[in-house]
Amino acid sequence: MNKLFSRLTLTTATALTIALTGGVMSSNSVLGDTSIDLDAVRSAAVSKHNTYRATHKSPDITIDKSLNTSAQAWAEKIASSENFEHSKTPNLGENIYASYTPATSVDPTTLGNGAVEDWYSEIKDYKYESPGFSSETGHFTQVVWKGTTKVGCGAAQGTATVEGTKYNAFYVVCQYSPSGNVKGEFPANVLKP
């Protein structure tokens, strides 16, 4: 059975993107539930980051426990508040993602992969001939930013109301160090595939 499944992402410049796709989920969870298999989400997200980074001649990033803790805290905060916004944590890059569905659970590998795939999909709008920050490509550029060496990710379940309908929402937050999207450093850090 195909169910409505939407994704919402927000760049540091607060640009919103909503995409609709098909997805199937099952089981049950509660608001702010952290019983999502975080190891599976993190493993999938880091692997997907590194696949894309290799395409752009950027070195692999590694998981950082401190960043995991910070990203998890923020994922839980936005899941419990329904306030989809960045943490504004100084000196860190951050991508956030939410998927909305009537289902009550999500496969953690699909969630981790889906978040990174969604962020990377902004490559279609990046202009290598005039490199720099854009709210339409800020997720993509952070994912492949050559100078970033560490990442931490968190995930949590909450709810969200979209166009008057309440959905279960699965939030993913990844935080990066050193942060990407630094003015003047795009040519050296966002390399053409």
Side-chain angles (χ1 to χ4, degrees), residues 23-192:
V24 178
M25 301 178 196
S26 63
S27 189
N28 48 0
S29 299
V30 296
L31 185 66
D33 184 12
T34 57
S35 66
I36 296 170
D37 183 345
L38 294 175
D39 287 339
V41 170
R42 291 170 177 151
S43 178
V46 170
S47 178
K48 187 60 74 173
H49 272 89
N50 287 334
T51 296
Y52 290 137
R53 290 173 65 82
T55 301
H56 293 268
K57 301 170 197 80
S58 294
D60 284 355
I61 53 173
T62 58
I63 290 181
D64 181 87
K65 288 182 181 183
S66 176
L67 291 174
N68 278 346
T69 300
S70 178
Q72 183 61 36
W74 192 249
E76 291 173 17
K77 169 80 170 150
I78 60 177
S80 65
S81 70
E82 291 189 44
N83 196 5
F84 191 70
E85 65 182 3
H86 282 282
S87 66
K88 299 175 183 72
T89 305
N91 303 317
L92 292 180
E94 182 174 85
N95 281 341
I96 62 176
Y97 167 92
S99 66
Y100 304 136
T101 179
T104 56
S105 70
V106 64
D107 175 74
T109 300
T110 301
L111 184 62
N113 282 332
V116 181
E117 288 168 358
D118 190 65
W119 298 328
Y120 185 81
S121 72
E122 295 173 352
I123 187 175
K124 69 187 180 315
D125 296 318
Y126 190 72
K127 308 285 189 256
Y128 290 96
E129 63 279 1
S130 57
F133 181 77
S134 162
S135 61
E136 289 80 31
T137 61
H139 294 104
F140 155 69
T141 53
Q142 177 59 80
V143 167
V144 302
W145 195 264
K146 188 174 183 176
T148 296
T149 59
K150 298 184 285 187
V151 67
C153 298
Q157 182 180 356
T159 60
T161 302
V162 179
E163 296 179 1
T165 303
K166 191 164 203 123
Y167 292 98
N168 290 310
F170 297 89
Y171 297 90
V172 176
V173 174
C174 287
Q175 295 180 338
Y176 304 85
S177 180
S179 67
N181 293 332
V182 178
K183 187 176 181 176
E185 295 182 17
F186 283 81
N189 285 283
V190 182
L191 306 178
K192 197 170 186 174

